[in-house]
Amino acid sequence: MASSEFENKSTNMYVEVEQSAQGPENEEVQKNVDDDGHEKRTGTMLTASAHIITAVIGSGVLSLAWAMAQLGWVAGPIILLLFSFVTYFTSTLLVDCYRSPGPLTGKRNYSYMEVVRSHLGGIKVQLCGISQYGNLVGITIGYTITASISMVAVVRSNCFHKMGHQASCTVSNYPYMIIFAMIQIILSQISNFHKLSWLSILAAVMSFAYSLIGLGLSIAEVVGVGHHVKTSVTGTVVGVDVSGSQKLWRSLQAIGDIAFAYAFATILIEIQDTLRSPPSENKVMKRATLVGVFTTTFFYVLCGTIGYAAFGNDAPGNFLTGFGFYEPFWLIDFANVCIAIHLIGAYQVFCQPIYGFVEARCSEKWPDNKFITSQRAINIPWFGVYNLNYFRMLWRTAYVIVTAVIAMIFPFFNAILGLIGAASFYPLTVYFPIEMHIAQKKIPKYSFTWIWLQILSWACLIVSLVAAAGSIQGLTQDVKTYEPFKPQDHE
């Protein structure tokens, strides 16, 4: 079977409809499947928006005060709004490519790679796969590290509250990475992206909760008695706050952080494939994208600007830590718990496309292997019937373990993640959506529309390159002080 033919059947490899069968039983089965023979899609604008918010907001919102401090009151908000527009615009182009050749009546494409294959083909399909799945793997490793940092923050906060502010309260991240991995092993048994709606909604609520807590604490800091911090139109001042080279590298890193904080194109097609139809998937997804990006931008601007006003040019990388581990310790604890829960859900949103891709390929290569394709129905109390597949259980468990081990070996992996993000942002968020839109609409070369789309594409390429340079510089600094398996200080 050809790869493209198989991917048209791969989202739920276990749903089969016998077209020739007749009778009431077959009619009931037909009601539970879509026009392509896949399990009935039930996603709505609400669930798609939740998926987007879970994927986009992330814990990166906590670093925006630092990014604003590097860029200042003028460039900071302008860049935030600029990337908000770019992300929304290119996402609407990608949404129309879900079906091909037309956005309303064409055949479905179930993954980003399949979309690129249908519209562009050639070596670009493999480049898309490397960018997408490399980025997804990197994100899941990075989330393991970040979630453990939030868990450790809760333990340290309670230690300081109990033992006093002078206590050492040094806590290793590694046990909490293991706890996070154990939770992910259980959640990874959720069969596919279609079953994740409840988890994404919970994660989205958690992201709002810790963003609002950080926002509230920042406002309290700004209006507090004796509040005096230094802010400026251009951010940190050369010769006072930073050196000339630090100003350059940190500004590039801040631009990169903002650009990649918006990116969710990596999983956009997989989210769109969860939507029920009618109404048409592209119309619903455009509305969900507008809601997701607008909501994200609103929180980003608020947290970035008010966080900068609270801490000034000395804003920390995570503005929740700027309030210390002390008082109100219970509120800081709650915020960090919300971050950990959000990352638990976000990990699943980003790893499910990896699971689906590997399982589809294995089923394609070994279609007669019962270990890979067969399922066993298990009745779980208060849950219902769960279809257990032994290959899915073992391979997903192994994946979670491997990502956790890598996180333990390389606790500075977030710097590597910045480099991976820089390498994948341009092709996935900008280049492929623009090129597929040009191919789909048959836009003439050197026409006005073609020229300004190419200008946008090249401008974003430059941003990716400078952000990659900033990530490499930060990575070299981390490697110099790296000591394997030594507890890291994340204050």
Side-chain angles (χ1 to χ4, degrees), residues 112-148:
Y112 204 134
M113 281 183 68
E114 181 63 18
V115 168
V116 174
R117 177 181 287 111
S118 296
H119 292 86
L120 300 176
I123 189 64
K124 293 178 181 178
V125 179
Q126 285 70 41
L127 293 175
C128 170
I130 293 171
S131 298
Q132 182 186 12
Y133 294 108
N135 191 35
L136 290 174
V137 171
I139 288 173
T140 55
I141 296 170
Y143 279 5
T144 302
I145 298 169
T146 309
S148 71

Side-chain angles (χ1 to χ4, degrees), residues 144-154 173 176-177 318 321 325 336 411 414 490:
T144 302
I145 298 169
T146 309
S148 71
I149 293 171
S150 294
M151 294 177 184
V152 164
V154 174
N173 287 33
Y176 298 94
M177 290 185 187
N318 177 344
T321 65
F325 291 94
N336 279 297
N414 282 334
H490 298 287

Side-chain angles (χ1 to χ4, degrees), residues 330-408:
W330 58 270
L331 190 58
I332 302 296
D333 282 357
F334 180 69
N336 279 297
V337 168
C338 289
I339 293 173
I341 294 174
H342 171 254
L343 292 175
I344 287 170
Y347 183 104
Q348 284 299 314
V349 169
F350 282 103
C351 73
Q352 282 290 339
I354 302 172
Y355 294 158
F357 175 77
V358 171
E359 288 156 20
R361 293 298 185 189
C362 290
S363 182
E364 174 188 12
K365 190 169 184 179
W366 299 288
D368 299 323
N369 189 312
K370 297 299 182 183
F371 176 74
I372 294 176
T373 60
S374 65
Q375 293 191 109
R376 180 181 177 184
I378 299 176
N379 191 11
I380 302 176
W382 302 295
F383 177 81
V385 176
Y386 175 75
N387 294 316
L388 175 66
N389 174 265
Y390 291 110
F391 170 71
R392 181 174 65 207
M393 179 181 68
L394 291 176
W395 124 253
R396 294 186 180 193
T397 300
Y399 176 84
V400 173
I401 292 173
V402 169
T403 56
V405 170
I406 294 174
M408 291 178 184

